[in-house]
């Protein structure tokens, strides 16, 4: 005969068997054990101050605290529009070198040697003989107001030659910066464009200090400015005068490029030099001076005609507090480096 127990509740009387009663007691004991034997990790006390969590006393970090350096962001391998962003030791660069070394190409390297810049030409060419596309046919086009600067002649390798193109004296840096795009446009149209497949321009007050190979070849090649690489766009020194032909609006631009080293195919370099020279002449006619001189017009052009190949700051670097760290230095600008020195150091370095 089943035994029934009566349990009173606020809502009435419940009839329970012995088994049901045992089950109820077991469940009740589990609940009591959970809340008393194994307490839930909930606290109504305020959280401790942050400096306690970091074990900081009176604003000083304890000596036994481990400081973890934040991981640096990964270096991008291409731009937002799909152009390669070239780092010389990457696998993509190695593939590019292998591809072009098999077929062979002809390259023109343009330099402007006028006035006091003549003292840089021999170190520049000597370094280019070692590091600049050593396995390809290279013609050095030297624009100079004093051909005797190259006497005695510089000994060149078997795949190298030099052509001297006389120009009139260009006094002052501003005159030099405004005139050279016109010189290049005319020379590419009249002779250079028929002799080589690719053309690069480099400021002569630089030296190649590491390998610069076929990884740099492309239709339109620009080099990232090392002092603003990685900075937000509003830090780029674009031209902001609305009256200037080089003006860049707030919503324009992806990178800021240096005028120390750039190039591309003959057709693209011809177009670049021609269009930039027209922008410069337009500002000259309106008596406007862009803040970055030639570099401002180059950046305006490269916003309207995005490069097909972007070189990392390895390919234009100098020592200053602002320059980005690079895995390897390949082309160093001593002219820009001098600009970063204080007056005393400029005198010591004969800048």
């Amino acid at each position: 005969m089943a035994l029934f127990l009566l349990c009173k509740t606020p809502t009435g009387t419940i009839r329970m068997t012995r088994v049901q009663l045992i089950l109820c007691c077991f469940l009740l004991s589990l609940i009591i054990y959970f809340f008393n034997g194994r307490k839930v990790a909930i606290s109504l006390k305020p959280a401790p101050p942050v400096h306690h969590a970091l074990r900081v006393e009176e604003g000083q970090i304890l000596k036994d605290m481990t400081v973890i350096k934040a991981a640096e962001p990964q270096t991008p391998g291409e731009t937002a529009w799909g152009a390669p962003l070239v780092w010389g030791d990457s696998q993509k660069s190695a593939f590019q070198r292998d591809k072009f070394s098999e077929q062979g190409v002809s390259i023109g390297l343009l330099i402007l040697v006028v006035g006091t810049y003549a003292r840089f030409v021999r170190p520049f060419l000597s370094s280019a003989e070692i590091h600049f596309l050593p396995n390809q046919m290279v013609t050095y086009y030297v624009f100079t107001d004093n051909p005797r600067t190259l006497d005695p002649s510089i000994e060149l390798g078997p795949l190298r030659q030099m052509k001297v193109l006389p120009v009139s004296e260009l006094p002052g840096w501003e005159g030099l910066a405004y005139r050279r795009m016109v010189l290049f446009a005319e020379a590419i149209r009249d002779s250079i464009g028929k002799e080589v497949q690719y053309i690069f321009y480099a400021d002569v007050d630089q030296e190649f200090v590491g390998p610069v190979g076929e990884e740099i070849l492309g239709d339109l090649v620009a080099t990232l400015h090392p002092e603003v690489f990685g900075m937000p766009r509003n830090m780029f020194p674009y031209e902001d005068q609305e009256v200037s032909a080089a003006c860049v609006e707030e919503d324009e631009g992806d990178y800021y490029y240096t005028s120390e080293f750039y190039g591309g195919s003959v057709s693209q370099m011809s177009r670049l030099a021609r269009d930039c020279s027209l922008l410069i002449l337009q500002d000259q006619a309106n008596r406007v001076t862009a803040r970055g001189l030639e570099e401002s017009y180059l950046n305006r052009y490269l916003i309207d005609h995005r490069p097909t190949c972007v070189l990392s700051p390895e390919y234009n670097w100098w020592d200053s507090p602002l320059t980005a760290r690079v895995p390897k230095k390949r082309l160093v600008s001593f002219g820009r480096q001098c600009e970063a020195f204080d007056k005393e150091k400029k005198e010591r370095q004969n800048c």
Side-chain angles (χ1 to χ4, degrees):
M1 176 175 158
L3 178 63
F4 294 95
L5 300 176
L6 299 178
C7 296
K8 291 189 177 183
T9 69
T11 58
T13 302
I14 299 176
R15 190 171 65 173
M16 300 178 64
T17 68
R18 182 188 296 272
V19 174
Q20 289 173 326
L21 179 61
I22 292 172
L23 287 175
C24 286
C25 291
F26 177 73
L27 291 175
L28 181 61
S29 65
L30 284 178
I31 294 171
I32 294 172
Y33 172 76
F34 181 78
F35 283 105
N36 291 312
R38 299 180 59 177
K39 295 184 181 294
V40 180
I42 297 176
S43 174
L44 298 179
K45 295 181 180 180
V50 173
H51 67 272
H52 284 173
L54 296 177
R55 299 185 65 192
V56 175
E57 292 181 357
E58 298 180 357
Q60 298 295 320
I61 300 177
L62 296 178
K63 292 182 180 180
D64 61 346
M65 178 180 178
T66 303
V67 179
I68 302 175
K69 182 180 178 182
E72 294 182 2
Q74 290 187 343
T75 302
E78 66 177 24
T79 66
W81 60 95
L85 203 166
V86 177
W87 300 86
D89 290 335
S90 70
Q91 290 184 350
K92 286 185 179 179
S93 293
F95 176 79
Q96 180 86 336
R97 286 191 291 270
D98 290 342
K99 182 180 73 172
F100 278 99
S101 63
E102 294 174 359
Q103 61 190 52
V105 291
S106 57
I107 300 103
L109 182 58
L110 281 57
I111 55 174
L112 190 57
V113 184
V114 296
T116 59
Y117 286 89
R119 63 194 171 103
F120 295 108
V121 66
R122 288 181 177 276
F124 175 86
L125 291 174
S126 296
S127 69
E129 281 291 283
I130 299 170
H131 296 296
F132 183 73
L133 290 155
N135 301 316
Q136 301 293 348
M137 297 177 60
V138 175
T139 301
Y140 302 113
Y141 293 98
V142 182
F143 295 77
T144 181
D145 58 350
N146 183 10
R148 289 177 298 178
T149 298
L150 301 167
D151 292 336
S153 59
I154 299 172
E155 185 176 350
L156 303 177
L159 297 175
R160 309 286 163 133
Q161 62 177 326
M162 180 171 12
K163 295 193 175 183
V164 178
L165 304 175
V167 297
S168 58
E169 185 177 357
L170 302 173
W173 169 251
E174 187 173 326
L176 174 67
Y178 276 136
R179 180 65 182 149
R180 60 183 167 187
M181 280 292 190
V182 177
L183 291 173
F184 297 158
E186 293 173 350
I188 294 170
R189 181 194 64 206
D190 296 340
S191 59
I192 297 176
K194 304 178 182 69
E195 299 171 349
V196 295
Q197 296 167 270
Y198 293 92
I199 298 171
F200 282 84
Y201 169 78
D203 279 359
V204 73
D205 55 350
Q206 304 183 93
E207 286 185 27
F208 293 95
V209 297
V212 175
E214 291 84 356
E215 73 275 4
I216 70 170
L217 298 178
D219 285 340
L220 182 58
V221 183
T223 306
L224 297 176
H225 195 293
E227 288 191 327
V228 294
F229 174 64
M231 290 188 178
R233 188 215 162 278
N234 60 8
M235 298 292 291
F236 296 169
Y238 288 135
E239 176 56 48
D240 57 3
Q241 295 181 85
E242 293 184 0
V243 294
S244 173
C247 182
V248 175
E249 301 293 338
E250 289 185 2
D251 59 346
E252 294 183 300
D254 304 286
Y255 297 104
Y256 188 80
Y257 306 99
T258 176
S259 60
E260 303 264 314
F261 188 56
Y262 56 91
S265 66
V266 166
S267 60
Q268 289 290 340
M269 277 294 282
S270 177
R271 182 181 180 185
L272 181 152
R274 182 197 65 210
D275 288 5
C276 284
S277 63
L278 291 175
L279 295 176
I280 291 169
L281 291 173
Q282 180 180 328
D283 270 5
Q284 282 185 310
N286 294 326
R287 297 183 179 180
V288 176
T289 302
R291 65 187 291 189
L293 300 180
E294 181 194 73
E295 197 166 81
S296 294
Y297 300 98
L298 177 66
N299 275 276
R300 175 67 265 175
Y301 181 86
L302 293 172
I303 289 173
D304 297 329
H305 309 85
R306 281 173 163 168
T308 61
C309 178
V310 176
L311 305 183
S312 71
E314 291 182 333
Y315 297 87
N316 182 222
W317 192 90
W318 59 88
D319 187 13
S320 91
L322 296 176
T323 46
R325 290 183 298 175
V326 294
K328 192 165 189 175
K329 305 174 188 69
R330 300 178 187 275
L331 181 59
V332 172
S333 172
F334 294 104
R336 296 265 183 134
Q337 189 161 299
C338 277
E339 291 176 10
F341 291 157
D342 58 28
K343 183 178 180 181
E344 183 180 343
K345 198 166 185 178
K346 285 181 179 178
E347 292 175 354
R348 286 203 311 267
Q349 299 292 330
N350 193 29
C351 290

